[in-house]
Amino acid sequence: MIQKDSTSAGSEWRKYGVLPFAAMFGYSVSVIHIYGINPYIIPVTTEFGWSRGEFTGAFTFAILIQALLAVPVGMLVDRFGSRKLGLAGIIMVCLAFTTLGTSTGDLSNWYLLWGLITLVALPVQATVWTSAVASRFTASRGLAFAITLCGASIAQFAFPPLATKLIATYGWKTAFLWHGLIWLAIVLPFVFFFFRGARDGSTGGDAMSGIPTSVLGGMSFADGLRSSVYVRLLLASLFFTFTIVALNYQFMPILSGWNIETSDAAWLASLIGLASIVGRLVTGYLIDRFSASLVGALVFLLPVVAVLLLLFGQHYAPAPALIAILLGLTLGAEVDVIVYLTTRFFGLKNFGALYGGLLGALSIGTAIGPLVASMIFDKTGGYAPFFWLAIGLLLISSFSLLTLPKPQEIEE
């Protein structure tokens, strides 16, 4: 007979309430090269004479390599825990990001620098942070995940104005240096003192006494891969991130084409991050109380309105702010929904490895979407063909979640 965890949400937050916030700061580092690169696109391509496709190609290469290695990283988390990986990754990623300022204008040099970021970003993937939080939270897991994944929202809110200010003050080369060091100084202390999952054990009188890995229940890695549910989650992950990350990545260049000043575009881009915090928290609250697949299906439809505004709203004054809000309300919601559904359908025993596969799909979408959008722009001088493609992929993503069955109870 399946044994249901009777721990209350209140008890979980009293014992481990600081953990999701520590994980949130850690997760923000994992997207510094995704949400932090946007303001650098125009100054770098202008100085070196690169196309946007050439600039974005290195980003795509980096994210694709991360996607290929997502499952092995998840297996390491399942075996060794999250803390050591996360701490090492924070230091290495922030320092590697600073090296982008040493670019010489040679594309091979640019790709080598991004290759370094690729390798050091592996220990800060979402699996690291969500695995620790999942090991502590059951009754309030949706909200705990939402807070954790708000790290990307904070990054999206903080990085565009921070980078824009640094570029205006020091130039883009030095801006990369200060950008990485500032974020390292903010994040590392908080994660060091407060981030510890069940697999990471405890020190001294730490209240976070571990849950033995041996009692964690769930599906085997092989059985999970064979599940039709897993295939649908893969499709939803791939197509949604293909669309939403590309729209976010190209947001400032799109607004530049609308003759909006760079500083104004930066603050509008930060509005995406602010709205994303609201969207994540609301999504987390709802999936704890209602069908997560239904909530996800509805959330995945919201960007369709933003894309229609991008197609037809250029002369509508409130359009840029409305687009930013709509993108923000859904940006990252796919991670909240996918990671939550992974724990509910497949349990925690092999969560790192199974979610690693889904994270691979999320990463492939993240890598390819911005590149495809950049190539369409380089070829046509605009983004309209990509916008129509985005609408179709968003509809497929929503339908993939809507058709999921009800999860079976799993002993955790």
Side-chain angles (χ1 to χ4, degrees), residues 150 152-153 271-281 328-332:
C150 274
S153 306
L271 182 59
I272 295 176
L274 190 62
S276 180
I277 295 173
V278 176
R280 286 180 186 273
L281 294 176
L329 289 175
T330 55
L331 181 65

Side-chain angles (χ1 to χ4, degrees), residues 156 240 243-251 254 268-269 271-273 275-276 279 299 302-307 310 320-334 394:
Q156 174 63 56
F240 190 82
T243 302
I244 200 72
V245 174
L247 293 172
N248 176 66
Y249 186 94
Q250 301 289 347
F251 186 68
I254 289 170
L268 284 166
L271 182 59
I272 295 176
S276 180
V299 168
L302 281 179
V304 173
V305 181
V307 176
L310 286 168
L322 287 174
I323 294 166
I325 291 170
L326 287 168
L327 291 179
L329 289 175
T330 55
L331 181 65
E334 82 284 2
L394 288 167

Side-chain angles (χ1 to χ4, degrees), residues 93-102 173 176-181:
V93 170
C94 289
L95 294 180
F97 188 77
T98 69
T99 67
L100 292 176
T102 67
K173 289 179 177 286
F176 272 120
L177 174 66
W178 284 113
H179 192 158
L181 293 180

